[in-house]
Amino acid sequence: MLILLAVLLAVVPLAIFLLFGWRVDVNEFSMNPFYRNRLTRCYLGASNRKRAPNPLTGFDDRDTRRMQISRLRSVPLPDSHPTTATSQPMDIYTGPFPIICATINLSFGEDLAWQERKAASFAFTPLYSGYHVGWTTGKHKHHVSFNGFVPTFHYAVPEGGINIATAVAISGAAASPNWGSHTNPATAFLMTVFNVRLGWWIFNPRRSQLAGATLAEVPKKVAWLSVGPTTWLSPRFAPLELAKELLGMADDTSKYVYLSDGGHFDNMGLYELVRRRCYRIVICDSEQDEDYFFEGIANAIRKCRVDFGVEITLDELDCLRPDPLTGNCKGHWARGKIRYPETPADQPGQESNEGKILYIKSSLTGAAKYEDIELPSEPADVVNFKFTHKHFPHDTTANQWFTESQFESYRRLGYHVIDEIQRSGQWEQFC
């Protein structure tokens, strides 16, 4: 009898573990859906004029209907594309081209040169989504494509690809057991055990049949049908990925990869713009940097130089450091130059084709003067908030419960900074 009882005590918990591991989605079990739903209700819900929220949760499924990232494109699909004839007509989109940046964690990879970063940039765009790292051979018996980008319309989710709310929630998944260069086995273990997990497991685009395919080539690879190479949108047996998360063993060769906050690799968004060879870049740096170490922009510049051979210089950076007596800075911004490898050296009498960068930093200046132009001080309520909150405008991002006055102070300061840029004529010079 005791033997039978001991067997039951061992078998029953194991059976429950296997059942729940098979039936419970590792992504839905995390805090990410909660975070995503809050973002959806706050922002996408605000644009839904016929909203009928659930009286208990306040959510409405129509907030995200037809809100796939692939719809935010001005470039139409080719006529030969297999979904062109069957998909619903897309409204003409004339807005900016969004690049939603996330981080693919590589805390357990084969490339020793990346062991400091423990991550790479992962981007969602209306046309293509994915990442690129140096060549890795992958595991035995598994083919891993060199090109890690796939057409967004067919990636991760059928009929249009991943939803913009999900992508934004992944991009802001700061609380994560695996978080780039900061990944620590002990921290990963504790955060996973207590389910402090905002990251997202997603199908590895380098394991896709459409890896590296252009939109025009999709019809030739129509074998992707029935969700194609992803068959399961999330890991089929959750405990396997949960164990990788627990032990900090995420890599880029497995069937599913682990994504977290884009700031775990590049907190400025500069890396993906440089990858696309942009010649006019505006960066708004609002990270917590009370000591003005400029860590975020420095890391981004360093990675762009190492990976792309791009040299980025920022002039007048000292004007962004506060005066030790008044606490005010001389300015809100610094100008800079971008020199791509293909940019020829300047020749006498030849127009330079260097790129330009405008770096804007959260700061207060008081009444300032720029090139003989008198610029007004910050509004009285913003100055008052600074006096009563010494960390402003560098409050920790861990504070997710801003008060009304705190939120308004940040909003009004941002408006003031952009107004100063316009008044000083800086925007016309930049363009």
Side-chain angles (χ1 to χ4, degrees):
M1 187 67 181
L2 290 177
I3 297 177
L4 179 60
L5 182 60
V7 171
L8 288 176
L9 289 176
V11 172
V12 172
L14 179 60
I16 294 175
F17 171 78
L18 294 175
L19 176 63
F20 277 77
W22 175 54
R23 296 300 298 170
V24 177
D25 191 317
V26 67
N27 288 325
E28 296 298 330
F29 185 67
S30 71
M31 294 177 61
N32 188 285
F34 170 80
Y35 179 46
R36 178 189 60 200
N37 290 339
R38 296 280 295 183
L39 291 175
T40 300
R41 184 172 65 177
C42 180
Y43 296 101
L44 295 181
S47 60
N48 184 0
R49 297 181 179 179
K50 298 181 180 179
R51 199 164 190 271
N54 183 295
L56 180 63
T57 65
F59 302 140
D60 185 348
D61 292 338
R62 292 178 297 180
D63 290 344
T64 57
R65 188 174 298 172
R66 300 180 66 190
M67 287 298 293
Q68 295 91 344
I69 302 175
S70 60
R71 295 181 58 84
L72 304 180
R73 64 180 187 275
S74 57
V75 180
L77 292 172
D79 294 336
S80 58
H81 198 277
T83 58
T84 303
T86 58
S87 60
Q88 296 180 353
M90 186 185 73
D91 298 331
I92 297 176
Y93 177 74
T94 58
F97 186 84
I99 303 175
I100 302 176
C101 299
T103 295
I104 173 174
N105 286 271
L106 308 174
S107 53
F108 191 80
E110 298 179 5
D111 193 343
L112 297 179
W114 285 57
Q115 286 307 293
E116 180 185 1
R117 301 183 184 187
K118 299 180 182 178
S121 178
F122 192 106
F124 296 99
T125 76
L127 297 178
Y128 298 94
S129 296
Y131 67 101
H132 176 76
V133 297
W135 173 255
T136 54
T137 57
K139 298 180 180 179
H140 297 295
K141 300 186 294 184
H142 293 305
H143 169 71
V144 179
S145 170
F146 176 76
N147 192 317
F149 287 88
V150 295
T152 301
F153 192 91
H154 304 291
Y155 180 54
V157 181
E159 300 299 330
I162 196 167
N163 189 283
I164 191 171
T166 302
V168 170
I170 294 172
S171 179
S176 172
N178 293 252
W179 53 316
S181 60
H182 304 288
T183 302
N184 179 279
T187 306
F189 182 88
L190 288 174
M191 295 184 73
T192 304
V193 167
F194 289 99
N195 201 33
V196 185
R197 302 166 46 248
L198 282 175
W200 192 268
W201 287 95
I202 197 169
F203 188 80
N204 188 351
R206 292 177 65 192
R207 297 281 293 272
S208 169
Q209 297 174 16
L210 296 179
T214 64
L215 296 178
E217 292 173 339
V218 169
K220 301 176 183 178
K221 300 187 177 184
V222 85
W224 67 275
L225 291 175
S226 74
V227 195
T230 61
T231 307
W232 287 75
L233 306 182
S234 295
R236 183 179 236 176
F237 189 62
L240 296 179
E241 269 63 35
L242 200 61
K244 294 179 183 178
E245 204 170 339
L246 182 77
L247 301 174
M249 296 178 63
D251 61 25
D252 64 322
T253 61
S254 57
K255 187 174 183 179
Y256 293 89
V257 292
Y258 188 68
L259 305 184
S260 61
D261 191 327
H264 296 161
F265 179 81
D266 170 21
N267 207 26
M268 301 291 105
L270 176 64
Y271 189 87
E272 288 297 330
L273 295 178
V274 170
R275 185 202 296 276
R276 288 159 177 79
R277 293 297 196 261
C278 295
Y279 275 78
R280 294 291 185 274
I281 297 177
V282 178
I283 294 178
C284 296
D285 181 1
S286 58
E287 69 178 359
Q288 181 189 4
D289 188 18
E290 194 171 6
D291 295 322
Y292 291 83
F293 289 149
F294 303 98
E295 182 181 4
I297 188 65
N299 284 334
I301 291 175
R302 185 180 302 115
K303 289 171 181 173
C304 289
R305 182 189 301 120
V306 172
D307 294 356
F308 305 126
V310 176
E311 193 65 43
I312 299 174
T313 58
L314 288 175
D315 304 324
E316 306 169 353
L317 201 60
D318 286 339
C319 73
L320 296 177
R321 291 191 173 92
D323 184 287
L325 297 178
T326 64
N328 289 332
C329 303
K330 295 181 181 178
H332 295 293
W333 66 84
R335 296 172 298 183
K337 296 180 180 180
I338 309 170
R339 178 175 287 277
Y340 291 101
E342 64 271 20
T343 303
D346 295 339
Q347 300 293 333
Q350 183 180 17
E351 184 179 356
S352 172
N353 60 349
E354 286 181 323
K356 295 181 180 180
I357 183 171
L358 182 63
Y359 174 64
I360 305 171
K361 182 80 169 176
S362 294
S363 55
L364 279 81
T365 62
K369 189 175 183 180
Y370 181 80
E371 295 182 353
D372 298 328
I373 300 176
E374 297 291 340
L375 299 174
S377 174
E378 287 79 15
D381 60 310
V382 175
V383 176
N384 167 263
F385 194 84
K386 172 62 178 177
F387 287 153
T388 56
H389 298 78
K390 66 176 183 178
H391 298 297
F392 178 82
H394 295 285
D395 288 283
T396 171
T397 52
N399 180 10
Q400 298 289 300
W401 295 273
F402 272 25
T403 61
E404 178 185 358
S405 56
Q406 192 174 19
F407 188 92
E408 172 58 19
S409 297
Y410 274 99
R411 188 204 68 80
R412 188 62 181 85
L413 175 61
Y415 182 91
H416 171 79
V417 171
I418 300 302
D419 183 59
E420 275 204 4
I421 292 176
Q422 293 277 19
R423 287 170 179 261
S424 66
Q426 203 53 214
W427 186 249
E428 288 77 5
Q429 297 179 29
F430 176 76
C431 295

